[in-house]
């Protein structure tokens, strides 16, 4: 249980209804992840369909993530102002339209526009799910709720690697992408009919709905001034992108073209990343919920292990790294997603409930900015080196070094600020008048 966790007035009780409503929001996120990662299993097919090289192929994912990252703070503000239901519904409309348009695209420009539209809708899902969890569950459940939400997101990735990959080579491009868009229509209807922003009696504080002049600027500035928000952003930046780059685009081409594996074997290794992420997410969530001090060691340990395995594969003396090493790398990459969720647990207690969406948006930008940079760097280096994947993937170390330096710079400041909040909350508790025997706290 985190002592510094922010809580809503009355602390929502959770329960079955909370699970059902939150599960509906997670379902929207699940579908968004399927659509987001669908290009990861279709990279080779996309290059052939649109007659493009590696740099142009990487532009698909770069543009999608660029839109996603650019939307994070606006989406956080929208969630704080409009509530979860409206933002999730709008997101479902946009990512469904983007997926369907991508299915019908024959030209490179149209396909790019479709992925941008998809990225815009995708951007509205995860922050909304985090806010939904904060509104329906007690604050002490925050770390586990975030990890479980991410787990279901990885399950969406699993659908891409195991289902869409097979459909793509059986049913074809248009049928696979167009048919999958039906899932977006389904979650949109369920959201409009059944999703609620918060349980009865736990309405947002009035400040979350107010909007004076300069409100947007003040929300962003106040969230950014918190060291916990910035530390969370850099943790997200440093931990998420190695697996994101691997799963979203370059993993399949690397394993097939550089390591000489069949598409089937490469698909299984991508599945290993997803399964590992689901297992590690549950473990990390339990550890952090019980031992708040474990957040930073888990994040730093994940960065170190990822760098070590990436270096082992890139520096292997033979033409192809052995299968056991590739499997080990995929297992370790599976820890990147759960480690990135730790970033939100630094920002959550650092900000009041009415600023949670904005702070989460800032944190969520980190990993996607790193992913965009690496996707572009890998594509450019592949074209410059004649498809030398090992040299291209060395760009990972530059981003990890940058992020690690910022984490080490901010950690003491964030820890000191969190201790101050804990002391202040204890002082306030001491001065709270006792409730009468017949009243409820």
């Amino acid at each position: 249980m985190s002592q510094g966790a922010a809580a809503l007035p009355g602390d929502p009780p959770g329960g079955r209804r909370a699970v059902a409503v939150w599960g509906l929001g997670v379902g929207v996120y699940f579908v968004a992840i399927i659509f987001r990662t669908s290009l990861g299993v279709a990279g080779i097919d996309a290059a052939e369909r649109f007659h493009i090289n590696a740099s142009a192929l990487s532009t698909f994912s770069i543009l999608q993530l660029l839109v996603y990252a650019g939307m994070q703070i606006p989406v956080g503000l929208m969630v704080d102002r409009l509530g979860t239901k409206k933002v999730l519904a709008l997101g479902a409309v946009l990512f469904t339209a983007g997926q369907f348009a991508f299915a019908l695209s024959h030209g490179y420009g149209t396909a790019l526009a479709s992925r941008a539209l998809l990225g815009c809708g995708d951007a509205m899902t995860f922050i909304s799910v985090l806010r939904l969890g904060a509104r329906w569950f007690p604050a002490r459940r925050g770390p586990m709720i975030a990890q479980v939400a991410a787990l279901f997101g990885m399950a969406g990735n699993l659908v891409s690697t195991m289902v869409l990959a097979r459909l793509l080579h059986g049913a074809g491009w248009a049928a696979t992408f167009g048919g999958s868009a039906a899932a977006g229509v389904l979650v949109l209807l369920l959201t409009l009919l059944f999703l609620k922003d918060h349980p009865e009696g736990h309405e947002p504080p009035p400040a979350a709905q107010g909007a004076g002049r300069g409100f947007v600027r003040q929300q962003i500035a106040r969230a950014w001034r918190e060291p916990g928000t910035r530390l969370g952003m850099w943790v997200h930046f440093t931990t998420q992108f190695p697996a994101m780059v691997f799963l979203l685009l370059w993993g399949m081409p690397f394993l097939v073209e550089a390591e000489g594996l069949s598409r089937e074997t490469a698909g299984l290794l991508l599945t290993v990343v997803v399964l590992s992420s689901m297992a590690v997410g549950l473990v990390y969530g339990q550890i952090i919920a019980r031992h708040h001090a474990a957040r930073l060691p888990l994040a730093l340990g994940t960065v170190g292990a990822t760098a070590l395995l990436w270096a082992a594969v890139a520096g292997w003396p033979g033409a192809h790294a052995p299968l056991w090493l590739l499997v080990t790398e995929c297992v370790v990459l599976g820890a990147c997603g759960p480690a990135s969720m730790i970033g939100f647990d630094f920002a959550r207690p650092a900000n009041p409930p009415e600023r949670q969406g904005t702070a989460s948006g800032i944190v969520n930008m980190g990993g996607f900015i790193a992913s965009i940079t690496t996707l572009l760097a890998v594509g450019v280096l592949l074209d410059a080196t004649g498809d030398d994947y090992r040299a291209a993937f060395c760009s990972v170390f530059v981003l990890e070094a940058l992020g690690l330096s910022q984490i080490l710079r901010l950690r003491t400041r964030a820890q000191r600020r969190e201790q101050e909040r804990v002391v202040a909350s204890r002082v306030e508790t001491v001065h709270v008048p006792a409730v009468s025997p017949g009243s409820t706290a």
Side-chain angles (χ1 to χ4, degrees):
M1 179 175 176
S2 65
Q3 292 173 311
L8 290 171
D11 212 15
R16 292 183 178 179
R17 188 171 181 223
V19 171
V21 174
W22 174 78
L24 179 54
V26 170
V28 179
Y29 175 59
F30 171 79
V31 174
I33 292 295
I34 295 175
F35 292 179
R36 180 201 299 175
T37 58
S38 57
L39 185 61
V41 297
I44 297 174
D45 301 84
E48 295 174 355
R49 180 179 178 89
F50 302 115
H51 310 291
I52 53 179
N53 60 15
S55 296
L57 179 62
S58 66
T59 304
F60 276 120
S61 296
I62 290 169
L63 179 61
Q64 181 180 331
L65 293 186
L66 188 62
V67 171
Y68 186 104
M71 286 290 293
Q72 288 310 292
I73 291 179
V75 167
L77 292 164
M78 287 171 65
V79 171
D80 286 338
R81 291 279 303 280
L82 302 177
T84 302
K85 181 174 182 174
K86 292 178 181 178
V87 178
L88 271 180
L90 178 58
V93 169
L94 294 176
F95 67 62
T96 301
Q99 184 78 343
F100 188 71
F102 193 60
L104 302 180
S105 297
H106 291 280
Y108 181 59
T110 306
L112 276 177
S114 301
R115 297 307 287 187
L117 186 62
L118 192 157
C120 187
D122 181 18
M124 299 181 178
T125 57
F126 189 65
I127 293 177
S128 297
V129 170
L130 289 179
R131 178 58 171 261
L132 198 64
R135 291 298 186 201
W136 281 89
F137 292 95
R140 67 182 183 275
R141 302 292 185 191
M144 179 55 69
I145 290 299
Q147 291 289 355
V148 173
L151 185 151
F152 278 97
M154 294 309 297
N157 206 323
L158 196 62
V159 171
S160 293
T161 58
M162 297 187 68
V163 179
L164 290 188
R166 294 183 181 180
L167 287 175
L168 188 63
H169 299 105
W173 182 280
T176 299
F177 285 99
S180 64
V185 176
L186 175 61
V187 295
L188 172 61
L189 292 175
L190 292 174
T191 297
L192 293 174
L193 290 173
F194 301 111
L195 194 134
K196 302 291 184 183
D197 284 339
H198 48 75
E200 291 78 4
H202 294 274
E203 289 74 14
Q209 303 296 335
R213 187 174 181 180
F215 171 80
V216 171
R217 179 180 55 81
Q218 291 173 8
Q219 279 283 91
I220 297 172
R222 288 168 180 167
W224 180 256
R225 278 199 297 266
E226 290 292 342
T229 303
R230 282 175 282 145
L231 177 60
M233 186 195 74
W234 284 108
V235 167
H236 199 270
F237 177 101
T238 314
T239 53
Q240 187 205 46
F241 78 94
M244 176 70 73
V245 168
F246 199 79
L247 288 172
L248 197 60
L249 183 61
W250 292 122
M252 178 70 78
F254 165 70
L255 294 171
V256 173
E257 297 174 2
E259 297 300 330
L261 301 179
S262 66
R263 283 196 180 200
E264 291 74 19
T265 303
L268 287 174
L269 287 182
L270 294 181
T271 304
V272 168
V273 178
V274 177
L275 293 175
S276 172
S277 184
M278 295 171 73
V280 173
L282 290 176
V283 174
Y284 277 17
Q286 290 283 359
I287 292 174
I288 295 170
R290 297 176 183 179
H291 308 285
H292 211 49
R295 293 173 300 170
L296 201 57
L298 286 176
L300 295 177
T302 302
V303 173
T306 303
L308 179 64
L309 267 297
W310 210 279
V313 171
W316 190 263
H320 303 304
L323 184 60
W324 64 264
L325 182 58
L326 295 174
V327 172
T328 305
E329 180 188 31
C330 289
V331 171
V332 172
L333 284 175
C336 292
S340 72
M341 294 298 101
I342 297 173
F344 295 102
D345 202 50
F346 283 110
R348 187 183 303 110
N351 292 273
E354 62 270 19
R355 220 167 47 223
Q356 290 291 316
T358 305
S360 296
I362 293 173
V363 172
N364 212 24
M365 284 180 62
F368 288 93
I369 290 174
S371 297
I372 292 166
T373 305
T374 309
L375 283 167
L376 177 60
V378 170
V380 171
L381 289 172
L382 284 174
D383 288 338
T385 60
D387 292 336
D388 186 342
Y389 279 89
R390 294 189 182 184
F393 276 140
C394 285
S395 57
V396 169
F397 301 118
V398 178
L399 274 294
E400 286 191 325
L402 172 62
L404 185 60
S405 67
Q406 295 301 312
I407 291 172
L408 297 178
R409 182 179 70 86
L410 288 165
R411 61 175 180 172
T412 302
R413 199 178 309 173
Q415 289 170 348
R416 186 184 306 120
R417 186 62 177 268
E418 189 164 342
Q419 290 171 355
E420 291 173 357
R421 283 194 303 272
V422 171
V423 172
S425 65
R426 288 173 178 170
V427 171
E428 289 176 4
T429 302
V430 169
H431 291 87
V432 171
V435 296
S436 60
S439 65
T440 57

